[in-house]
């Protein structure tokens, strides 16, 4: 079945550092890909999405590119802030199944 | 715009006891989801409703879990009897019909079974 694999955390960074969170997937066909973020004490919220190969999703300074050849959707941000401390979840949806499948989440801690 | 509301936020029970969680989705969202999130894992879908009908409950342990959405708005999820392995955060989410990828999540209910 469909699955999503993320790098394990926690990832600890200093402010203004470069962040990368790796995400790879296995799925039948070509799913749509997403990053969700969960800030402390809050519910998950959609951060960005890409619906086809080579699409780049972006939001709040974060970017991720749908790479069909490597079945990856790595999340990047050039200069993190303390407020980016959260748990990040990679997810996919396969249109026929119409169900979100999440990775295990990666906790990111940004220190001042 | 009010978000997805859930209650209680925390619950501690002993094994074999019963527990119920409540969810109120965003107004206008016909699709409602219940997820189980075990510590260190991503959310796993338990059940999906569209209005008051069940769309997918393939991963719901039906011998002990039940859920309803009688009027197509609020929903309750019940566990009876609880087991130690049910300790998790139970998340409720909602979305517009056909926009399954953009789900709005509530803050969750953290359940501890002792």
């Amino acid at each position: 079945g469909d699955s999503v694999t993320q790098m394990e955390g926690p990832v600890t960074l200093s402010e203004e550092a470069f962040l990368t969170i790796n995400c790879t997937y296995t799925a039948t066909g070509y799913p749509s890909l997403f990053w969700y973020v969960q800030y402390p004490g809050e519910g998950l919220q959609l951060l960005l999405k890409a619906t086809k190969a080579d699409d780049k999703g972006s939001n709040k300074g974060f970017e991720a590119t749908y790479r069909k050849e490597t079945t990856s959707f790595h999340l990047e941000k050039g200069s993190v802030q303390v407020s980016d401390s959260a748990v990040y979840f990679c997810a996919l949806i396969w249109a026929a199944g119409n169900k979100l499948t999440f990775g295990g989440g990666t906790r990111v801690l940004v220190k001042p | 715009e009010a978000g997805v509301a859930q209650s209680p936020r925390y619950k501690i029970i002993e094994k074999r006891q019963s527990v119920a969680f409540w969810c109120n989705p965003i107004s206008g969202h016909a699709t409602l989801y219940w997820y189980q999130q075990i510590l260190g894992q991503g959310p796993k879908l338990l059940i999906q409703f569209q209005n008051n009908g069940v769309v997918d409950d393939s991963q719901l342990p039906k011998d002990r879990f039940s859920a309803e959405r009688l009027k197509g708005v609020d929903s309750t999820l019940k566990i009876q009897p609880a087991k130690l392995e049910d300790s998790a955060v139970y998340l409720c989410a909602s979305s517009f019909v056909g926009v399954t990828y953009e789900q709005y999540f509530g803050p969750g209910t953290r359940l501890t079974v002792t």
Side-chain angles (χ1 to χ4, degrees):
Chain A
D2 298 345
S3 67
V4 179
T5 302
Q6 292 180 234
M7 60 187 290
E8 289 192 19
V11 174
T12 303
L13 303 164
S14 297
E15 258 190 325
E16 301 182 2
F18 185 88
L19 170 67
T20 299
I21 304 176
N22 290 340
C23 170
T24 58
Y25 66 89
T26 57
T28 306
Y30 304 111
S32 295
L33 302 172
F34 310 91
W35 279 98
Y36 274 77
V37 59
Q38 186 173 29
Y39 298 106
E42 299 183 16
L44 279 81
Q45 55 187 273
L46 180 63
L47 179 61
L48 53 84
K49 67 180 188 287
T51 57
K52 62 183 186 296
D54 300 324
D55 265 3
K56 178 184 284 187
S58 60
N59 186 25
K60 299 183 180 181
F62 289 89
E63 293 184 338
T65 301
Y66 188 144
R67 301 288 188 197
K68 184 179 67 174
E69 62 278 10
T70 55
T71 61
S72 65
F73 193 54
H74 305 323
L75 182 68
E76 297 180 336
K77 186 172 184 180
S79 177
V80 293
Q81 305 300 313
V82 172
S83 57
D84 294 323
S85 297
V87 182
Y88 293 82
F89 293 90
C90 187
L92 65 80
I93 194 165
W94 169 228
N98 212 29
K99 182 168 66 179
L100 270 173
T101 298
F102 287 91
T106 302
R107 182 176 298 278
V108 173
L109 177 61
V110 181
K111 296 185 174 180
Chain B
E1 174 183 277
V4 176
Q6 289 188 248
S7 67
R9 292 294 307 275
Y10 305 92
K11 189 74 177 178
I12 300 174
I13 62 172
E14 295 182 351
K15 60 183 178 183
R16 292 187 290 273
Q17 287 187 323
S18 303
V19 65
F21 313 126
W22 174 82
C23 172
N24 186 28
I26 290 173
S27 177
H29 283 188
T31 307
L32 184 147
Y33 316 78
W34 282 104
Y35 290 86
Q36 180 191 59
Q37 186 178 12
I38 292 172
L39 187 64
Q41 299 181 19
K44 181 184 83 171
L45 181 69
L46 292 175
I47 188 167
Q48 177 181 341
F49 292 94
Q50 184 165 310
N51 296 307
N52 60 352
V54 175
V55 174
D56 184 349
D57 64 357
S58 57
Q59 298 195 89
L60 186 74
K62 298 180 185 64
D63 58 332
R64 298 184 299 107
F65 286 65
S66 63
E68 60 183 13
R69 194 183 183 200
L70 293 176
K71 296 183 179 179
V73 181
D74 293 10
S75 177
T76 56
L77 175 70
K78 297 179 182 177
I79 307 175
Q80 180 179 15
K83 292 185 176 181
L84 295 176
E85 59 261 36
D86 297 332
S87 294
V89 176
Y90 291 85
L91 299 168
C92 179
S94 68
S95 74
F96 288 111
V97 172
V99 193
T100 309
Y101 65 84
E102 188 157 6
Q103 299 180 22
Y104 293 79
F105 285 79
T109 297
R110 183 176 298 279
L111 173 67
T112 302
V113 182
T114 62

